[in-house]
Amino acid sequence: MRGRCRRVRGVLLAAAWLGGGLLVASLVLSLVGCQTGSAPVAAQQPAGFNLGLTAVRDPSAAAGGTLRLVTGPVDSLDPTRSYQYGLWDLMRLYTRQLVTYRAAPGPAGTTLVPDLATGLGRTTDGGRTWTYTLKPGVRFETGAPITAADIKYGIERQFATSVLAGGPTWLVSLLDNPKDPYPGPYQDTDLHRGGLPAIQTPNSTTVVFHLTRPFNALDQVLAMPSASPAPAALRGGPDGGPNYGARPVSSGPYRFAAPYRGGDTVVLIRNPAWDRRTDPVRTALPDRIELATGLSPTERDARLLAGTADADLAGAGLQPDSIRRLLADPALAARADNPANGNLRLVALPDTVPPMDNVHCRRAVQYAVDKAAVRAGLGGMDGASLATTLWPRNMPGYPVTAPYPDGRGNSGDLTRARTELRACGQPDGFHTKMATVDSGRGLRVAQEVQRAVARIGIQADLRPFPEQVFLSSGVGSPAAIKAGGYGLVVVNWVADFPSPAAFYPPLLDSRGVRTQGDTDYAQLAEPALVSLIDQATGSLDQVVATMLWQRVDALVMQQAGYLPLVEDKTMLLTSSRLHNVYLHPVWRNVDLITVSVG
């Protein structure tokens, strides 16, 4: 539940999934660099290009063979500790959750279906208490049945942040009692109380969640790999704690062939205890999965282009030179997809930093920015999609609103921008500072914003931060933003799951402000936002909830606290031996649970 500039993991999601344009006119830039350039113009889109956004490419029911995958550095193979979408996609091969997402491309893939549970969550008190019942016959790779206690222990591990830091903490915020925080199973000295009080297991097949507040997206949270079961028999021990990531105990169709020691190849083989009859989602066709880890983008591209790798889990897409080769080869382009990955590039305009404490000054920036130049700097139409509002296109309920018209060619409306400057008492412009990362796409975006606002007299001095501190002690510190006078903060944001409940609260809810690692960059002093967020997250009527979230979006845009610029796009290539290929809208990459090789 945090902003990320270093791990756009492939990242949500309907223009993004409706396919790309008919002409390929420019390069997609790597998400790990800021190289620029242009590629040859493809006269006509090859058959198969972008097919995986809406349909299945090369269907097949053939079983057997080895699925060959590549990726960069791995943060952890422990579902509790990973924050990499590519690994979340892989984890669905060796973990199962109470509920999961349908195996389908496009909007259908955002539909939740039962997995270990017999159905989706049930609530009788307006979304504060949720109950799930486990299916019979679900087992770990050891043959031991998966029980309610194992579900509970898998979730309790998220609370042990001093031992298992790194992964999502949605369930901590939803289940923990701030007056009596649960320390996690490794520091829980009061075992007689039965572990985390907010999860009850009245019998071996029933799990009851007692939330601290009504929340209508619990199913989405429980569909994340971090909510996977772990054997309760490992409770408190090293093999259930810091060592668990070397060889997680499988609840899915594959298990680890050997412990993963880091920097080598992960090998998964079939799990004989997995029962296909209990799992209507995963087809599990390959006999073996091999994941080469720690590879550079150039090394990964080389294997994809040579056909020695079937897919890249890193999700960053091909590098510029590789895209040139792909566009020049119709056979390669026919196996490529160019999705928007839900990663929104935006500028926060903190209300705590003068003159951004004046809404008219913030609106002047909104009108002045040249979004077309930002998109061009990131690779053109194949590198990014323009954003007119915070709401990502792939998220259900996308509102087609543009409160700040971008002028001719999306290059800004300078007349309106100057009108707003006069209204904020700064007719000749003003001086401020712009915080950004010191490299990559974030820096390129900041440079384009700097050039654009200079046209109306706003001098924005760049203050670049090393990536490793940018989101923590840099712009992740509200005090540092105010003290540094950062009137413009260039960040990117992607939701952990396809719901406004995952996208908006971390950016807007002032009640969760932290001294470091904070994500409420705009610090808007707007009390109505908190009320609307509570209403939206608590409504069990999805139509009403969507309307409330749209009101949240409209209010934020009216207050001009955030300036949405573009959504990143990537170029993803799969091998000719890979079948049943489509891009899953939640995992933002090839859906691994249904592919076939041969």
Side-chain angles (χ1 to χ4, degrees):
M1 195 164 62
R2 57 192 182 190
R4 293 166 280 281
C5 64
R6 65 183 178 278
R7 31 169 168 256
V8 169
R9 308 171 280 239
V11 231
L12 295 172
L13 319 157
W17 296 97
L18 295 180
L22 293 179
L23 296 181
V24 181
S26 55
L27 288 181
V28 178
L29 299 186
S30 163
L31 295 186
V32 294
C34 62
Q35 304 173 39
T36 60
S38 58
V41 176
Q44 187 174 357
Q45 179 175 293
F49 182 77
N50 270 343
L51 179 64
L53 303 186
T54 56
V56 177
R57 182 185 289 117
D58 297 330
S60 173
T66 298
L67 174 63
R68 304 169 304 192
L69 306 170
V70 292
T71 194
V74 167
D75 61 356
S76 179
L77 295 173
D78 183 337
T80 298
R81 305 187 71 173
S82 177
Y83 229 132
Q84 292 178 319
Y85 274 94
L87 294 183
W88 290 3
D89 193 8
L90 179 76
M91 287 174 184
R92 296 160 64 238
L93 298 173
Y94 61 87
T95 68
R96 295 178 66 181
Q97 295 75 43
L98 288 171
V99 298
T100 190
Y101 292 97
R102 187 183 303 279
T110 63
T111 303
L112 287 157
V113 295
D115 192 0
L116 291 172
T118 58
L120 301 183
R122 308 184 303 276
T123 182
T124 58
D125 61 356
R128 187 179 289 272
T129 305
W130 294 85
T131 301
Y132 298 81
T133 302
L134 292 177
K135 295 176 181 176
V138 291
R139 298 180 179 276
F140 287 115
E141 63 176 274
T142 60
I146 298 173
T147 68
D150 302 316
I151 299 291
K152 179 175 180 176
Y153 174 59
I155 291 171
E156 285 177 328
R157 299 177 75 247
Q158 294 185 32
F159 290 74
T161 53
S162 63
V163 179
L164 304 175
T169 56
W170 284 94
L171 287 170
V172 175
S173 66
L174 289 169
L175 296 170
D176 208 12
N177 179 359
K179 296 181 180 179
D180 184 21
Y182 178 64
Y186 313 108
Q187 297 177 346
D188 183 0
T189 58
D190 190 14
L191 294 180
H192 70 273
R193 69 176 180 178
L196 177 63
I199 301 179
Q200 295 179 350
T201 55
N203 54 57
S204 62
T205 61
T206 303
V207 187
V208 184
F209 297 87
H210 297 277
L211 309 186
T212 57
R213 64 186 187 276
F215 188 73
N216 57 17
L218 184 63
D219 282 334
Q220 284 95 327
V221 174
L222 293 176
M224 300 170 72
S226 55
S228 303
L234 300 178
R235 181 184 179 89
D239 290 337
N243 298 341
Y244 192 71
R247 192 170 189 167
V249 180
S250 174
S251 53
Y254 297 92
R255 62 182 176 88
F256 282 72
Y260 175 69
R261 300 304 181 188
D264 55 6
T265 299
V266 178
V267 177
L268 301 178
I269 57 177
R270 291 195 179 276
N271 173 13
W274 176 70
D275 188 343
R276 188 181 301 275
R277 293 172 297 181
T278 72
D279 190 347
V281 181
R282 300 164 181 81
T283 58
L285 294 174
D287 287 334
R288 179 183 175 95
I289 293 96
E290 296 178 355
L291 172 65
T293 67
L295 301 180
S296 71
T298 301
E299 291 172 318
R300 301 197 303 269
D301 284 7
R303 295 195 188 190
L304 285 172
L305 293 167
T308 58
D310 298 313
D312 180 2
L313 291 192
L318 296 175
Q319 304 300 289
D321 287 345
S322 300
I323 296 173
R324 290 190 185 94
R325 178 175 169 184
L326 179 144
L327 296 178
D329 186 338
L332 290 174
R335 303 197 306 271
D337 296 293
N338 183 211
N341 58 26
N343 184 58
L344 183 66
R345 302 278 169 180
L346 66 158
V347 181
L349 310 171
D351 190 40
T352 55
V353 179
M356 295 306 176
D357 54 352
N358 186 309
V359 68
H360 294 287
C361 286
R362 300 197 297 266
R363 289 173 182 168
V365 176
Q366 295 271 355
Y367 283 120
V369 166
D370 186 344
K371 294 183 181 179
V374 172
R375 180 173 64 180
L378 299 182
M381 294 181 66
D382 303 303
S385 297
L386 294 180
T388 60
T389 186
L390 282 177
W391 198 294
R393 287 175 172 83
N394 66 323
M395 203 158 60
Y398 173 67
V400 185
T401 59
Y404 304 101
D406 294 325
R408 185 174 181 179
N410 297 300
S411 60
D413 189 331
L414 302 188
T415 299
R416 292 195 183 190
R418 294 187 177 101
T419 299
E420 293 293 342
L421 280 180
R422 290 192 293 271
C424 79
Q426 305 281 349
D428 298 322
F430 53 84
H431 179 273
T432 190
K433 298 175 185 176
M434 185 188 311
T436 177
V437 291
D438 61 2
S439 62
R441 291 166 74 91
L443 178 59
R444 184 59 187 268
V445 169
Q447 292 167 338
E448 295 295 348
V449 171
Q450 181 188 44
R451 280 191 282 268
V453 299
R455 299 179 299 173
I456 60 169
I458 298 177
Q459 181 183 345
D461 295 337
L462 292 187
R463 291 293 185 268
F465 285 81
E467 188 174 313
Q468 60 268 28
V469 301
F470 180 61
L471 295 178
S472 56
S473 58
V475 300
S477 168
I481 289 178
K482 184 175 182 179
Y486 304 132
L488 303 173
V489 178
V490 179
V491 291
N492 58 296
W493 187 252
V494 60
D496 286 342
F497 49 89
S499 168
F503 190 86
Y504 287 98
L507 286 174
L508 302 172
D509 195 338
S510 58
R511 293 169 296 184
V513 171
R514 292 170 288 178
T515 57
Q516 285 199 3
D518 187 57
T519 56
D520 183 7
Y521 306 112
Q523 294 285 294
L524 287 176
E526 181 52 65
L529 277 175
V530 171
S531 176
L532 279 173
I533 287 171
D534 285 346
Q535 293 176 59
T537 55
S539 175
L540 298 181
D541 185 323
Q542 289 304 312
V543 174
V544 173
T546 297
M547 293 175 59
L548 288 167
W549 285 121
Q550 289 171 337
R551 288 176 59 188
V552 168
D553 185 88
L555 181 56
V556 174
M557 293 306 298
Q558 179 188 19
Q559 293 299 311
Y562 288 100
L563 164 57
L565 297 168
V566 296
E567 289 185 53
D568 282 338
K569 297 180 71 175
T570 55
M571 188 73 78
L572 303 177
L573 175 66
T574 55
S575 75
S576 60
R577 63 193 294 271
L578 201 62
H579 303 275
N580 302 331
V581 175
Y582 61 86
L583 280 295
H584 198 282
V586 177
W587 314 114
R588 302 147 205 177
N589 210 324
V590 177
D591 192 350
L592 298 180
I593 67 174
T594 58
V595 296
S596 170
V597 293

